[in-house]
Amino acid sequence: HTSSFWKLDETNNVLKCIVSFAREPCPNFQAVTQSMPMPYGVGLPGQVWKNNAPMWMEDVVHETNFPRAKYADKDGLHAAFAFPIIAAGKFVGVLEFFSKKISKPDTDLLDAFNVVGTELGHFFERRRVELELAQQAALNSYAADIGSAINSVESLSSILKDCAEITLRKLD
């Protein structure tokens, strides 16, 4: 019914919801989900982070370690499961999903989504590397342009002017 992606904020050592989706409106639950940071071991995302393993809750409304319980109850949410996303051996975040039904744990589903979490981690790592390579290529191009400008001029003022122009082009 609704799902959220929680990303690790390493600076503050909490999980923060960076995106949430609901098939039908869940205004109370989504508002608190998007505004409440989740510490290590707290709530479904925090417990998944702590255990580094998928987790299922039959009915979040009655869970003692689920600080969003009253908001889930207001919006009619009950069963939930979540799994970690690991990239290059490092915890990145948690994906969580909720249903309006109370349901028992489905270990096959948890196992399947554990694989999905690993694959998403690979995707995130590939994307991070692609971005780093693109940044490095841009820096290399910038350095080459500056080097050419320095080698082709006759005075310090010309070097400074050419370097400033190159830098401004790279910033645009």
Side-chain angles (χ1 to χ4, degrees):
H1 186 82
T2 186
S3 58
S4 303
F5 173 57
W6 295 80
K7 187 173 186 296
L8 178 60
D9 175 347
E10 294 182 57
T11 304
N12 297 306
N13 201 37
V14 294
L15 292 170
K16 291 186 177 175
C17 178
I18 61 168
V19 66
S20 181
F21 170 79
R23 216 177 330 161
E24 296 171 23
C26 300
N28 299 295
F29 189 75
Q30 281 192 292
V32 74
T33 295
Q34 292 173 352
S35 65
M36 178 186 287
M38 206 60 65
Y40 184 79
V42 176
L44 182 56
Q47 291 178 72
V48 168
W49 176 17
K50 180 180 178 183
N51 298 320
N52 203 26
M55 185 172 178
W56 189 288
M57 291 182 171
E58 289 182 35
D59 189 356
V60 297
V61 172
H62 300 293
E63 290 286 334
T64 56
N65 187 359
F66 193 79
R68 298 173 289 158
K70 69 180 178 182
Y71 305 99
D73 192 26
K74 284 181 185 179
D75 289 338
L77 300 174
H78 294 281
F81 74 92
F83 58 90
I85 299 173
I86 310 295
K90 185 177 174 186
F91 178 85
V92 174
V94 173
L95 271 171
E96 71 176 352
F97 301 86
F98 293 84
S99 170
K100 290 201 172 229
K101 297 177 183 176
I102 296 171
S103 61
K104 301 243 182 255
D106 182 334
T107 55
D108 291 337
L109 185 65
L110 286 176
D111 290 343
F113 274 100
N114 203 27
V115 172
V116 170
T118 300
E119 291 304 315
L120 282 170
H122 293 317
F123 169 78
F124 288 157
E125 182 60 16
R126 279 192 307 275
R127 186 69 179 131
R128 184 192 64 75
V129 169
E130 288 170 0
L131 290 172
E132 282 182 9
L133 290 173
Q135 289 173 336
Q136 188 61 51
L139 287 173
N140 289 345
S141 172
Y142 174 67
D145 289 349
I146 294 292
S148 294
I150 290 171
N151 288 329
S152 67
V153 294
E154 299 166 8
S155 71
L156 180 59
S157 63
S158 296
I159 291 172
L160 293 175
K161 178 182 169 276
D162 289 348
C163 288
E165 288 173 1
I166 291 166
T167 300
L168 289 174
R169 276 197 314 268
K170 295 295 180 189
L171 294 174
D172 287 340

